[in-house]
Amino acid sequence: MLITTTPTIEGSPIREYRGLVTGETIIGANFVKDVFASFRDFFGGRSGAYEDTLRKAKDTALHEMVSHAEKLGANAIVGIDLDYETVGANGSMLMVTCSGTAVVI
């Protein structure tokens, strides 16, 4: 499955539009990650634990969207948009959503 943020795929004309597809995931960050992140925040540097969590959430949402497109008979998704949001008490959960248009090229 070819997925892209662009509205078209160069050299591959869109033959059919199959519809809007989405993927969503909500992942919680645990207490240990929060403690280590607060140290990183204070001393500087990147938080590998949070980056891994963010990457997993994005990959899960994209996989869900691709599965939906496959069920529609699409072989590509164009115009993908990814959104990130914190939800829950004190922003303790990370929500990642993605959407795009399932197409046949």
Side-chain angles (χ1 to χ4, degrees):
M1 174 81 53
L2 181 59
I3 62 173
T4 180
T5 58
T6 60
T8 61
I9 300 169
E10 187 174 340
S12 298
I14 295 172
R15 296 182 310 159
E16 287 182 54
Y17 289 86
R18 296 291 173 103
L20 176 69
V21 288
T22 62
E24 304 84 17
T25 189
I26 298 177
I27 293 182
N30 68 30
F31 174 73
V32 175
K33 289 180 187 175
D34 288 342
V35 170
F36 285 115
S38 66
F39 284 121
R40 292 242 193 263
D41 208 23
F42 181 76
F43 293 109
R46 295 171 62 169
S47 173
Y50 275 123
E51 288 175 359
D52 288 343
T53 300
L54 180 62
R55 192 172 297 107
K56 287 176 187 173
K58 175 190 60 91
D59 290 345
T60 300
L62 287 170
H63 177 73
E64 185 177 303
M65 183 179 63
V66 166
S67 294
H68 186 192
E70 288 172 340
K71 290 176 185 171
L72 294 175
N75 61 2
I77 304 171
V78 296
I80 293 174
D81 179 50
L82 286 163
D83 291 307
Y84 301 86
E85 183 81 32
T86 55
V87 296
N90 301 320
S92 61
M93 306 285 280
L94 174 67
M95 177 176 66
V96 179
T97 62
C98 57
S99 62
T101 303
V103 298
V104 176
I105 53 173

